Amino acid sequence: MTAPQYPRLIATDLDGTLVRSDGTVSERTRSAVLAAQRAGSVFVMVTARPPRWLHDFEDLVGDHGVAIVANGAILYDVLRRKAIRTRLIEPDVALEVALAIRTGIPDVQFAIERPNRYGQEPVYLNRWPKPDDTLVGAVEVLLEEPAAKLLVRHPSLPSDELLALVNPLVGQRVTASHSGGHGLVEISASGVSKAAMLADFAAEQGISAAETIAFGDSVNDLPMLAWAGTSYGVANAHPEVLALVDRTARTNDEDGVAAVLEEFFQPLK
């Protein structure tokens, strides 16, 4: 860090990192985030979540009002509930990839996230309540329009194993990763990652990677953690994350992100 001796940009994953296992953000964490913003740091949430799952965190977005969602496919104005910038998978590419995956792994199930709509195959095992306007249909129907993410679920394989099978089937046509959900791989357009959208956002704020700290816990956070000048993995993180990061924070359930931010900003309150 250059003077002042605190980060100009704080980027954090949500689930498994900032958010506790029960789905909540503690008051301690909220207070730490707001203290960082008062001190002049820019705070941005960088998540695999779709836009509709960000509205409970409107009080954390700060003056800029945005979050990076869908693994970097969407820069989203949380307050106005509007996508500002998107990097989507074109339908022909997405369908080609989906058919290649289904041929290689016959038991997979597909769902999609568009900037403003969710869709799934009838057999897709949805672990969360479906939106009222969910599009239900064959994968060919789901992919008639560009998608922010193609979700690939397997009923029994762990995510690491499923990703290892998916990667050689899709090659360089798309970016495949996972965010820790059991039996779930998330596919984005080629070149899309949390790091890519975060780098663009930081440049627009006049902030460098060296002035940035980032927090994460899963495989989809690896590019962002590698990009940031200082990276933290929470203690409950995936082994690949803990092998990469500069420092380890406490677990998400122990408010690990808040504990780090308090080291920087508590004296500034």
Side-chain angles (χ1 to χ4, degrees), residues 135-163:
L135 173 65
V136 179
V139 68
E140 292 82 359
V141 174
L142 302 179
L143 296 173
E144 288 177 346
E145 297 181 19
K149 290 197 300 183
L150 172 65
L151 306 176
V152 185
R153 186 175 290 285
H154 192 278
S156 59
L157 289 176
S159 295
D160 282 337
E161 292 182 24
L162 182 59
L163 181 60

Side-chain angles (χ1 to χ4, degrees), residues 96-228:
E96 179 182 308
V97 164
L99 295 178
I101 294 171
R102 174 148 284 156
T103 298
I105 316 171
D107 294 336
V108 293
Q109 308 156 0
F110 292 113
I112 55 100
E113 291 283 0
R114 297 176 185 166
N116 56 4
R117 196 174 186 191
Y118 168 77
Q120 65 171 71
E121 292 184 308
V123 296
Y124 185 82
L125 178 60
N126 197 314
R127 298 182 183 276
W128 306 100
K130 294 186 295 185
D132 292 339
D133 66 344
T134 295
L135 173 65
V136 179
V139 68
E140 292 82 359
V141 174
L142 302 179
L143 296 173
E144 288 177 346
E145 297 181 19
K149 290 197 300 183
L150 172 65
L151 306 176
V152 185
R153 186 175 290 285
H154 192 278
S156 59
L157 289 176
S159 295
D160 282 337
E161 292 182 24
L162 182 59
L163 181 60
L165 294 174
V166 165
N167 268 325
L169 296 173
V170 303
Q172 302 300 310
R173 292 173 289 184
V174 292
T175 300
S177 188
H178 77 72
S179 55
H182 184 76
L184 181 66
V185 164
E186 303 175 30
I187 291 176
S188 306
S190 179
V192 167
S193 69
K194 292 184 175 185
M197 189 67 86
L198 179 62
D200 287 351
F201 175 79
E204 291 163 1
Q205 304 291 320
I207 300 173
S208 68
E211 298 170 300
T212 301
I213 64 172
F215 299 85
D217 77 302
S218 198
V219 173
N220 63 330
D221 295 316
L222 290 170
M224 174 178 73
L225 296 169
W227 175 84

